[in-house]
Amino acid sequence: MPADEPEGLVPMLSVKEAARVAVATGMREEMSRIHFYRLLLNSPQAGRVENEINDRILWEGRLTVRPEATRLRELAIMQVAWVTGSEYLWAHHYAPAVDVDLPGKRPADVLGVREGAAYPGFGPAERAVMRAVDEMVRDDRISEETLDVLKSLLASNGEVVELCYVIAIWRALTTLMATFQVPLEPGYQAWAPDGRRPGAEGSRP
């Protein structure tokens, strides 16, 4: 590993070794360039399972089939990044350098997640998603009231289940990113170009 490459609290595999392990486990080689996967691939099983979840949900999921629902999925992930203070997750979904053709990346009003349900540009579905994320992060569950709203606004029970699953899984991923202190790759920018970040004056807690 290059001497000047940043490290997390658990050493990442070298680029070459990560690529070898990724291909051996059935992953796309380009995913091995991501620092989070280079760390996870210390356990090939963990890397493979996380990559399988990522690909099945983001490329083939119920929410990916319908553009309006795909947008809600990405807003949910970005809201998870904001309320948990996950610089790494935010950077990877705000300006991805890998999987650039992924459906639904970076909705035009994505910065509205910084205001959550109070953002005036959001409609009922977006506001319900914002509340769902807040509740999951704060209370470890989405309330029955918010779940009922999601059921009334999404197209199917499959979309409801998948949206809740996305919130829970990506929240869990932020705990791993924070635990290991995964460093950002070169070319990724922390937070938005205006520099605003969670905890700053005017930001939601």
mmCIF file of all heavy atoms in Angstrom, residues 105-143:
data_model
loop_
_atom_site.group_PDB
_atom_site.id
_atom_site.type_symbol
_atom_site.label_atom_id
_atom_site.label_comp_id
_atom_site.label_asym_id
_atom_site.label_seq_id
_atom_site.Cartn_x
_atom_site.Cartn_y
_atom_site.Cartn_z
ATOM 1 N N LYS A 105 -29.355 8.381 -8.908
ATOM 2 C CA LYS A 105 -28.322 9.087 -8.179
ATOM 3 C C LYS A 105 -28.602 10.583 -8.088
ATOM 4 O O LYS A 105 -29.019 11.222 -9.045
ATOM 5 C CB LYS A 105 -26.959 8.877 -8.851
ATOM 6 C CG LYS A 105 -26.315 7.533 -8.519
ATOM 7 C CD LYS A 105 -25.887 7.477 -7.064
ATOM 8 C CE LYS A 105 -25.101 6.218 -6.775
ATOM 9 N NZ LYS A 105 -24.760 6.116 -5.349
ATOM 10 N N ARG A 106 -28.404 11.130 -6.914
ATOM 11 C CA ARG A 106 -28.422 12.566 -6.638
ATOM 12 C C ARG A 106 -29.633 13.292 -7.225
ATOM 13 O O ARG A 106 -29.529 13.995 -8.230
ATOM 14 C CB ARG A 106 -27.142 13.194 -7.160
ATOM 15 C CG ARG A 106 -26.927 14.606 -6.658
ATOM 16 C CD ARG A 106 -25.531 15.062 -7.046
ATOM 17 N NE ARG A 106 -25.398 16.490 -6.990
ATOM 18 C CZ ARG A 106 -24.304 17.155 -7.381
ATOM 19 N NH1 ARG A 106 -23.278 16.480 -7.848
ATOM 20 N NH2 ARG A 106 -24.250 18.451 -7.298
ATOM 21 N N PRO A 107 -30.784 13.153 -6.580
ATOM 22 C CA PRO A 107 -31.954 13.942 -6.999
ATOM 23 C C PRO A 107 -31.635 15.439 -6.975
ATOM 24 O O PRO A 107 -30.790 15.888 -6.184
ATOM 25 C CB PRO A 107 -33.004 13.582 -5.942
ATOM 26 C CG PRO A 107 -32.576 12.243 -5.437
ATOM 27 C CD PRO A 107 -31.073 12.251 -5.463
ATOM 28 N N ALA A 108 -32.308 16.189 -7.818
ATOM 29 C CA ALA A 108 -32.013 17.619 -7.958
ATOM 30 C C ALA A 108 -32.173 18.367 -6.641
ATOM 31 O O ALA A 108 -31.465 19.348 -6.379
ATOM 32 C CB ALA A 108 -32.898 18.230 -9.038
ATOM 33 N N ASP A 109 -33.123 17.927 -5.813
ATOM 34 C CA ASP A 109 -33.389 18.632 -4.558
ATOM 35 C C ASP A 109 -32.777 17.909 -3.360
ATOM 36 O O ASP A 109 -33.277 18.009 -2.238
ATOM 37 C CB ASP A 109 -34.893 18.808 -4.345
ATOM 38 C CG ASP A 109 -35.666 17.498 -4.454
ATOM 39 O OD1 ASP A 109 -35.048 16.459 -4.767
ATOM 40 O OD2 ASP A 109 -36.893 17.512 -4.231
ATOM 41 N N VAL A 110 -31.684 17.198 -3.583
ATOM 42 C CA VAL A 110 -31.098 16.373 -2.531
ATOM 43 C C VAL A 110 -30.696 17.175 -1.301
ATOM 44 O O VAL A 110 -30.761 16.674 -0.175
ATOM 45 C CB VAL A 110 -29.899 15.572 -3.074
ATOM 46 C CG1 VAL A 110 -28.735 16.481 -3.419
ATOM 47 C CG2 VAL A 110 -29.470 14.501 -2.082
ATOM 48 N N LEU A 111 -30.303 18.427 -1.478
ATOM 49 C CA LEU A 111 -29.877 19.210 -0.322
ATOM 50 C C LEU A 111 -31.025 19.506 0.622
ATOM 51 O O LEU A 111 -30.805 19.932 1.761
ATOM 52 C CB LEU A 111 -29.193 20.500 -0.768
ATOM 53 C CG LEU A 111 -27.885 20.314 -1.550
ATOM 54 C CD1 LEU A 111 -27.248 21.660 -1.863
ATOM 55 C CD2 LEU A 111 -26.901 19.441 -0.769
ATOM 56 N N GLY A 112 -32.251 19.257 0.176
ATOM 57 C CA GLY A 112 -33.398 19.417 1.059
ATOM 58 C C GLY A 112 -33.366 18.476 2.244
ATOM 59 O O GLY A 112 -33.991 18.752 3.280
ATOM 60 N N VAL A 113 -32.623 17.363 2.134
ATOM 61 C CA VAL A 113 -32.573 16.423 3.268
ATOM 62 C C VAL A 113 -31.939 17.079 4.481
ATOM 63 O O VAL A 113 -32.154 16.620 5.617
ATOM 64 C CB VAL A 113 -31.820 15.121 2.908
ATOM 65 C CG1 VAL A 113 -32.435 14.474 1.671
ATOM 66 C CG2 VAL A 113 -30.323 15.347 2.720
ATOM 67 N N ARG A 114 -31.195 18.143 4.277
ATOM 68 C CA ARG A 114 -30.570 18.820 5.414
ATOM 69 C C ARG A 114 -31.607 19.508 6.289
ATOM 70 O O ARG A 114 -31.358 19.789 7.455
ATOM 71 C CB ARG A 114 -29.521 19.816 4.922
ATOM 72 C CG ARG A 114 -28.443 19.144 4.061
ATOM 73 C CD ARG A 114 -27.304 20.062 3.704
ATOM 74 N NE ARG A 114 -27.698 21.239 2.938
ATOM 75 C CZ ARG A 114 -26.844 22.073 2.341
ATOM 76 N NH1 ARG A 114 -25.532 21.832 2.423
ATOM 77 N NH2 ARG A 114 -27.266 23.126 1.673
ATOM 78 N N GLU A 115 -32.801 19.774 5.715
ATOM 79 C CA GLU A 115 -33.911 20.334 6.492
ATOM 80 C C GLU A 115 -34.907 19.255 6.899
ATOM 81 O O GLU A 115 -35.802 19.510 7.700
ATOM 82 C CB GLU A 115 -34.636 21.404 5.664
ATOM 83 C CG GLU A 115 -33.745 22.424 4.986
ATOM 84 C CD GLU A 115 -32.892 23.209 5.976
ATOM 85 O OE1 GLU A 115 -33.315 23.350 7.139
ATOM 86 O OE2 GLU A 115 -31.794 23.656 5.587
ATOM 87 N N GLY A 116 -34.779 18.078 6.307
ATOM 88 C CA GLY A 116 -35.681 16.986 6.637
ATOM 89 C C GLY A 116 -37.108 17.263 6.207
ATOM 90 O O GLY A 116 -37.364 17.890 5.173
ATOM 91 N N ALA A 117 -38.053 16.817 7.021
ATOM 92 C CA ALA A 117 -39.476 16.966 6.696
ATOM 93 C C ALA A 117 -39.904 18.419 6.626
ATOM 94 O O ALA A 117 -40.958 18.733 6.062
ATOM 95 C CB ALA A 117 -40.319 16.212 7.722
ATOM 96 N N ALA A 118 -39.110 19.324 7.168
ATOM 97 C CA ALA A 118 -39.457 20.745 7.150
ATOM 98 C C ALA A 118 -39.119 21.423 5.829
ATOM 99 O O ALA A 118 -39.526 22.575 5.605
ATOM 100 C CB ALA A 118 -38.739 21.473 8.293
ATOM 101 N N TYR A 119 -38.405 20.743 4.949
ATOM 102 C CA TYR A 119 -38.013 21.373 3.684
ATOM 103 C C TYR A 119 -39.263 21.666 2.853
ATOM 104 O O TYR A 119 -40.041 20.757 2.547
ATOM 105 C CB TYR A 119 -37.075 20.453 2.911
ATOM 106 C CG TYR A 119 -36.622 21.026 1.592
ATOM 107 C CD1 TYR A 119 -35.850 22.180 1.537
ATOM 108 C CD2 TYR A 119 -36.967 20.411 0.393
ATOM 109 C CE1 TYR A 119 -35.427 22.698 0.326
ATOM 110 C CE2 TYR A 119 -36.544 20.917 -0.828
ATOM 111 C CZ TYR A 119 -35.779 22.073 -0.847
ATOM 112 O OH TYR A 119 -35.366 22.596 -2.050
ATOM 113 N N PRO A 120 -39.498 22.936 2.482
ATOM 114 C CA PRO A 120 -40.747 23.296 1.803
ATOM 115 C C PRO A 120 -40.910 22.699 0.412
ATOM 116 O O PRO A 120 -42.027 22.605 -0.091
ATOM 117 C CB PRO A 120 -40.691 24.835 1.737
ATOM 118 C CG PRO A 120 -39.240 25.177 1.884
ATOM 119 C CD PRO A 120 -38.657 24.124 2.761
ATOM 120 N N GLY A 121 -39.822 22.281 -0.210
ATOM 121 C CA GLY A 121 -39.921 21.712 -1.549
ATOM 122 C C GLY A 121 -40.343 20.262 -1.577
ATOM 123 O O GLY A 121 -40.604 19.719 -2.655
ATOM 124 N N PHE A 122 -40.419 19.605 -0.428
ATOM 125 C CA PHE A 122 -40.816 18.207 -0.377
ATOM 126 C C PHE A 122 -42.325 18.065 -0.282
ATOM 127 O O PHE A 122 -43.000 18.852 0.388
ATOM 128 C CB PHE A 122 -40.182 17.504 0.824
ATOM 129 C CG PHE A 122 -38.710 17.198 0.667
ATOM 130 C CD1 PHE A 122 -37.925 16.938 1.782
ATOM 131 C CD2 PHE A 122 -38.118 17.145 -0.589
ATOM 132 C CE1 PHE A 122 -36.572 16.640 1.643
ATOM 133 C CE2 PHE A 122 -36.771 16.853 -0.736
ATOM 134 C CZ PHE A 122 -36.001 16.605 0.392
ATOM 135 N N GLY A 123 -42.845 17.011 -0.947
ATOM 136 C CA GLY A 123 -44.252 16.679 -0.857
ATOM 137 C C GLY A 123 -44.488 15.654 0.233
ATOM 138 O O GLY A 123 -43.576 15.294 0.989
ATOM 139 N N PRO A 124 -45.707 15.113 0.315
ATOM 140 C CA PRO A 124 -46.042 14.160 1.380
ATOM 141 C C PRO A 124 -45.146 12.932 1.419
ATOM 142 O O PRO A 124 -44.755 12.484 2.507
ATOM 143 C CB PRO A 124 -47.491 13.783 1.059
ATOM 144 C CG PRO A 124 -48.030 14.952 0.301
ATOM 145 C CD PRO A 124 -46.882 15.472 -0.504
ATOM 146 N N ALA A 125 -44.796 12.373 0.266
ATOM 147 C CA ALA A 125 -43.971 11.167 0.255
ATOM 148 C C ALA A 125 -42.562 11.460 0.761
ATOM 149 O O ALA A 125 -42.014 10.705 1.576
ATOM 150 C CB ALA A 125 -43.909 10.580 -1.154
ATOM 151 N N GLU A 126 -41.973 12.547 0.291
ATOM 152 C CA GLU A 126 -40.631 12.903 0.751
ATOM 153 C C GLU A 126 -40.623 13.190 2.252
ATOM 154 O O GLU A 126 -39.708 12.768 2.967
ATOM 155 C CB GLU A 126 -40.108 14.124 -0.008
ATOM 156 C CG GLU A 126 -39.818 13.891 -1.477
ATOM 157 C CD GLU A 126 -41.042 14.109 -2.365
ATOM 158 O OE1 GLU A 126 -42.153 14.300 -1.814
ATOM 159 O OE2 GLU A 126 -40.875 14.091 -3.590
ATOM 160 N N ARG A 127 -41.643 13.905 2.730
ATOM 161 C CA ARG A 127 -41.696 14.213 4.155
ATOM 162 C C ARG A 127 -41.833 12.942 4.986
ATOM 163 O O ARG A 127 -41.231 12.809 6.059
ATOM 164 C CB ARG A 127 -42.833 15.184 4.451
ATOM 165 C CG ARG A 127 -42.587 16.587 3.906
ATOM 166 C CD ARG A 127 -43.547 17.596 4.507
ATOM 167 N NE ARG A 127 -44.918 17.362 4.093
ATOM 168 C CZ ARG A 127 -45.480 17.886 3.006
ATOM 169 N NH1 ARG A 127 -44.750 18.662 2.207
ATOM 170 N NH2 ARG A 127 -46.737 17.635 2.698
ATOM 171 N N ALA A 128 -42.615 11.981 4.488
ATOM 172 C CA ALA A 128 -42.767 10.712 5.207
ATOM 173 C C ALA A 128 -41.446 9.956 5.260
ATOM 174 O O ALA A 128 -41.097 9.353 6.287
ATOM 175 C CB ALA A 128 -43.843 9.858 4.549
ATOM 176 N N VAL A 129 -40.694 9.989 4.171
ATOM 177 C CA VAL A 129 -39.386 9.332 4.146
ATOM 178 C C VAL A 129 -38.437 10.000 5.133
ATOM 179 O O VAL A 129 -37.694 9.327 5.862
ATOM 180 C CB VAL A 129 -38.805 9.352 2.720
ATOM 181 C CG1 VAL A 129 -37.344 8.901 2.725
ATOM 182 C CG2 VAL A 129 -39.627 8.467 1.800
ATOM 183 N N MET A 130 -38.446 11.331 5.186
ATOM 184 C CA MET A 130 -37.591 12.035 6.129
ATOM 185 C C MET A 130 -37.935 11.650 7.570
ATOM 186 O O MET A 130 -37.047 11.408 8.398
ATOM 187 C CB MET A 130 -37.730 13.552 5.959
ATOM 188 C CG MET A 130 -37.298 14.106 4.597
ATOM 189 S SD MET A 130 -35.552 13.880 4.186
ATOM 190 C CE MET A 130 -35.675 12.490 3.034
ATOM 191 N N ARG A 131 -39.228 11.575 7.885
ATOM 192 C CA ARG A 131 -39.628 11.175 9.233
ATOM 193 C C ARG A 131 -39.217 9.735 9.523
ATOM 194 O O ARG A 131 -38.788 9.411 10.641
ATOM 195 C CB ARG A 131 -41.141 11.339 9.411
ATOM 196 C CG ARG A 131 -41.604 12.792 9.497
ATOM 197 C CD ARG A 131 -43.027 12.899 9.993
ATOM 198 N NE ARG A 131 -43.978 12.271 9.088
ATOM 199 C CZ ARG A 131 -44.565 12.910 8.066
ATOM 200 N NH1 ARG A 131 -44.284 14.178 7.823
ATOM 201 N NH2 ARG A 131 -45.427 12.284 7.293
ATOM 202 N N ALA A 132 -39.338 8.863 8.521
ATOM 203 C CA ALA A 132 -38.960 7.465 8.708
ATOM 204 C C ALA A 132 -37.479 7.348 9.058
ATOM 205 O O ALA A 132 -37.095 6.580 9.954
ATOM 206 C CB ALA A 132 -39.276 6.660 7.450
ATOM 207 N N VAL A 133 -36.636 8.098 8.368
ATOM 208 C CA VAL A 133 -35.202 8.065 8.664
ATOM 209 C C VAL A 133 -34.935 8.601 10.067
ATOM 210 O O VAL A 133 -34.194 7.990 10.856
ATOM 211 C CB VAL A 133 -34.406 8.865 7.620
ATOM 212 C CG1 VAL A 133 -32.941 8.999 8.049
ATOM 213 C CG2 VAL A 133 -34.502 8.206 6.252
ATOM 214 N N ASP A 134 -35.535 9.738 10.394
ATOM 215 C CA ASP A 134 -35.327 10.317 11.721
ATOM 216 C C ASP A 134 -35.715 9.330 12.818
ATOM 217 O O ASP A 134 -35.006 9.170 13.815
ATOM 218 C CB ASP A 134 -36.141 11.605 11.876
ATOM 219 C CG ASP A 134 -35.540 12.781 11.113
ATOM 220 O OD1 ASP A 134 -34.364 12.699 10.714
ATOM 221 O OD2 ASP A 134 -36.254 13.780 10.918
ATOM 222 N N GLU A 135 -36.840 8.663 12.636
ATOM 223 C CA GLU A 135 -37.317 7.726 13.653
ATOM 224 C C GLU A 135 -36.417 6.495 13.753
ATOM 225 O O GLU A 135 -36.113 6.030 14.859
ATOM 226 C CB GLU A 135 -38.758 7.320 13.345
ATOM 227 C CG GLU A 135 -39.757 8.457 13.534
ATOM 228 C CD GLU A 135 -41.139 8.143 12.984
ATOM 229 O OE1 GLU A 135 -41.334 7.033 12.424
ATOM 230 O OE2 GLU A 135 -42.031 9.006 13.098
ATOM 231 N N MET A 136 -36.004 5.976 12.630
ATOM 232 C CA MET A 136 -35.143 4.798 12.644
ATOM 233 C C MET A 136 -33.823 5.095 13.350
ATOM 234 O O MET A 136 -33.331 4.292 14.155
ATOM 235 C CB MET A 136 -34.880 4.306 11.227
ATOM 236 C CG MET A 136 -34.039 3.048 11.149
ATOM 237 S SD MET A 136 -34.902 1.561 11.644
ATOM 238 C CE MET A 136 -35.789 1.158 10.118
ATOM 239 N N VAL A 137 -33.247 6.249 13.065
ATOM 240 C CA VAL A 137 -31.971 6.615 13.678
ATOM 241 C C VAL A 137 -32.153 6.936 15.156
ATOM 242 O O VAL A 137 -31.346 6.526 16.000
ATOM 243 C CB VAL A 137 -31.335 7.801 12.929
ATOM 244 C CG1 VAL A 137 -30.097 8.328 13.661
ATOM 245 C CG2 VAL A 137 -30.968 7.397 11.505
ATOM 246 N N ARG A 138 -33.222 7.632 15.484
ATOM 247 C CA ARG A 138 -33.430 8.064 16.875
ATOM 248 C C ARG A 138 -33.992 6.961 17.768
ATOM 249 O O ARG A 138 -33.557 6.771 18.904
ATOM 250 C CB ARG A 138 -34.380 9.266 16.879
ATOM 251 C CG ARG A 138 -34.631 9.876 18.275
ATOM 252 C CD ARG A 138 -35.712 10.942 18.204
ATOM 253 N NE ARG A 138 -37.003 10.365 17.835
ATOM 254 C CZ ARG A 138 -37.788 10.864 16.870
ATOM 255 N NH1 ARG A 138 -37.409 11.910 16.159
ATOM 256 N NH2 ARG A 138 -38.956 10.293 16.611
ATOM 257 N N ASP A 139 -34.965 6.204 17.227
ATOM 258 C CA ASP A 139 -35.729 5.269 18.054
ATOM 259 C C ASP A 139 -35.483 3.799 17.715
ATOM 260 O O ASP A 139 -36.106 2.923 18.318
ATOM 261 C CB ASP A 139 -37.239 5.542 17.903
ATOM 262 C CG ASP A 139 -37.606 6.981 18.229
ATOM 263 O OD1 ASP A 139 -36.947 7.578 19.112
ATOM 264 O OD2 ASP A 139 -38.542 7.514 17.599
ATOM 265 N N ASP A 140 -34.641 3.537 16.749
ATOM 266 C CA ASP A 140 -34.371 2.169 16.289
ATOM 267 C C ASP A 140 -35.585 1.505 15.642
ATOM 268 O O ASP A 140 -35.607 0.275 15.480
ATOM 269 C CB ASP A 140 -33.873 1.276 17.438
ATOM 270 C CG ASP A 140 -32.520 1.720 17.967
ATOM 271 O OD1 ASP A 140 -31.680 2.110 17.143
ATOM 272 O OD2 ASP A 140 -32.308 1.670 19.190
ATOM 273 N N ARG A 141 -36.555 2.262 15.260
ATOM 274 C CA ARG A 141 -37.729 1.719 14.574
ATOM 275 C C ARG A 141 -38.484 2.865 13.922
ATOM 276 O O ARG A 141 -38.345 4.033 14.311
ATOM 277 C CB ARG A 141 -38.665 0.987 15.544
ATOM 278 C CG ARG A 141 -39.260 1.877 16.626
ATOM 279 C CD ARG A 141 -40.086 1.086 17.635
ATOM 280 N NE ARG A 141 -41.287 0.548 17.034
ATOM 281 C CZ ARG A 141 -42.458 1.197 16.977
ATOM 282 N NH1 ARG A 141 -42.568 2.430 17.465
ATOM 283 N NH2 ARG A 141 -43.507 0.634 16.427
ATOM 284 N N ILE A 142 -39.279 2.531 12.910
ATOM 285 C CA ILE A 142 -40.179 3.495 12.281
ATOM 286 C C ILE A 142 -41.541 3.335 12.935
ATOM 287 O O ILE A 142 -42.031 2.215 13.116
ATOM 288 C CB ILE A 142 -40.257 3.248 10.759
ATOM 289 C CG1 ILE A 142 -38.881 3.507 10.129
ATOM 290 C CG2 ILE A 142 -41.308 4.140 10.109
ATOM 291 C CD1 ILE A 142 -38.775 3.060 8.683
ATOM 292 N N SER A 143 -42.154 4.433 13.305
ATOM 293 C CA SER A 143 -43.419 4.375 14.032
ATOM 294 C C SER A 143 -44.544 3.826 13.160
ATOM 295 O O SER A 143 -44.483 3.875 11.921
ATOM 296 C CB SER A 143 -43.807 5.767 14.528
ATOM 297 O OG SER A 143 -44.153 6.605 13.433
#
